[in-house]
Amino acid sequence: MKRILLLAGILLSGIPLIAQQLEGTYKNGADSIAFSNEKVTFRISGFGGLSSAQVGEGTYELNGNYLLIHTSDYPGEKSSFQLLDGSRKDTCVIKTVSLQNYAVQGILVESRNKSGKLISSKVTGNDGRIFFTPCDKITSISTSPMGYNSISFDHIPGKDYLIKLAENDIIENSTVVFAIRSIDDETISLLMLTEDFNTGKDRDKDLQKLEKKARKSNKLDKRLKKVYIPYSRRN
């Protein structure tokens, strides 16, 4: 009898999320995921890099122990660039700054030609600047900074650029997949499996393969606890 009860407990422990719709906000430090009706917003760190956080917003669906988030355009702050008059002949000057206008060093900036072939890649110095010389064959410029929102844009001859970098790796217009488990009534665990899920003929099998790959690479789950907003009584 005890064995039967134990087996039943094991089987039931993996299904609470299937039978319920997620609501409310779950947090752990700066990490959070908030569910409201069919919408969800998340900020989860540690999956894309040691110090980077991945953020997104969209609709969601539960498929067994998998949470699929169909992200839309992100409404928060994004990286942007500003055109400046060229300051040096045959040279394109690029400066990267934070949203607070502080110079950001260590940012990889790449230039490409009209065929998309890499021409040059440089890392910004202490003043946040890099110089591309010559620049007559450059048609596009891009950044792929760890911990910041990447950006790419077309190059206009005779122009320099001021790039303002927004924090976090922003995920838009793709399907993010998390393995999700219920630890207790107030705690869930999340493990990001992919930020760009493209399913084949057997979605369940594809999801299982993604989780197996993530577990094999020793990725760690994130545990988040539900946050309750105190009720404020109006007089």
Side-chain angles (χ1 to χ4, degrees):
M1 184 65 178
K2 289 183 179 180
R3 290 182 179 179
I4 295 174
L5 291 174
L6 179 61
L7 179 60
I10 293 173
L11 291 173
L12 290 173
S13 64
I15 64 172
L17 289 172
I18 302 175
Q20 70 182 46
Q21 182 167 346
L22 292 165
E23 283 291 332
T25 299
Y26 295 79
K27 297 191 68 175
N28 181 355
D31 293 335
S32 67
I33 186 165
F35 300 90
S36 179
N37 298 321
E38 295 181 353
K39 294 290 184 71
V40 60
T41 302
F42 65 89
R43 180 197 184 279
I44 305 292
S45 62
F47 295 123
L50 294 177
S51 60
S52 66
Q54 291 162 294
V55 301
E57 179 176 296
T59 59
Y60 78 92
E61 60 175 305
L62 286 168
N63 184 322
N65 285 321
Y66 301 104
L67 171 66
L68 287 78
I69 301 176
H70 308 294
T71 60
S72 53
D73 289 338
Y74 186 68
E77 293 180 321
K78 303 178 189 179
S79 295
S80 62
F81 71 94
Q82 178 182 344
L83 289 171
L84 304 173
D85 290 333
S87 57
R88 301 189 182 191
K89 187 177 180 180
D90 300 325
T91 300
C92 176
V93 183
I94 299 172
K95 183 176 181 179
T96 56
V97 299
S98 66
L99 294 178
Q100 294 75 36
N101 289 317
Y102 294 109
V104 181
Q105 63 177 329
I107 301 299
L108 177 65
V109 184
E110 297 180 331
S111 62
R112 298 181 183 275
N113 62 20
K114 61 181 180 181
S115 300
K117 185 178 179 180
L118 178 67
I119 297 175
S120 180
S121 59
K122 296 186 177 183
V123 176
T124 58
N126 292 334
D127 60 354
R129 296 178 190 271
I130 61 99
F131 303 86
F132 286 135
T133 304
C135 55
D136 56 309
K137 294 183 179 180
I138 296 175
T139 59
S140 65
I141 295 169
S142 63
T143 67
S144 302
M146 180 69 74
Y148 293 94
N149 174 219
S150 60
I151 186 173
S152 61
F153 50 87
D154 293 335
H155 169 58
I156 299 176
K159 294 295 183 180
D160 293 340
Y161 302 91
L162 177 67
I163 300 177
K164 288 194 172 184
L165 296 171
E167 293 185 353
N168 303 322
D169 177 14
I170 297 173
I171 304 173
E172 297 179 295
N173 304 310
S174 63
T175 298
V176 180
V177 177
F178 290 96
I180 184 169
R181 299 289 189 276
S182 176
I183 306 302
D184 55 42
D185 290 342
E186 298 183 337
T187 310
I188 61 173
S189 73
L190 292 176
L191 177 63
M192 182 178 281
L193 306 183
T194 179
E195 60 184 69
D196 189 14
F197 180 57
N198 294 302
T199 184
K201 294 181 179 180
D202 192 334
R203 185 165 78 162
D204 291 342
K205 189 174 181 179
D206 291 338
L207 291 170
Q208 291 167 10
K209 285 182 178 179
L210 284 173
E211 182 171 11
K212 184 177 180 180
K213 183 179 179 180
R215 301 290 180 190
K216 191 174 181 179
S217 63
N218 295 320
K219 286 186 177 180
L220 298 177
D221 298 70
K222 290 278 186 175
R223 290 197 176 192
L224 297 93
K225 195 174 186 64
K226 195 166 189 177
V227 177
Y228 291 94
I229 300 174
Y231 172 74
S232 179
R233 183 177 179 180
R234 296 182 179 179
N235 294 328

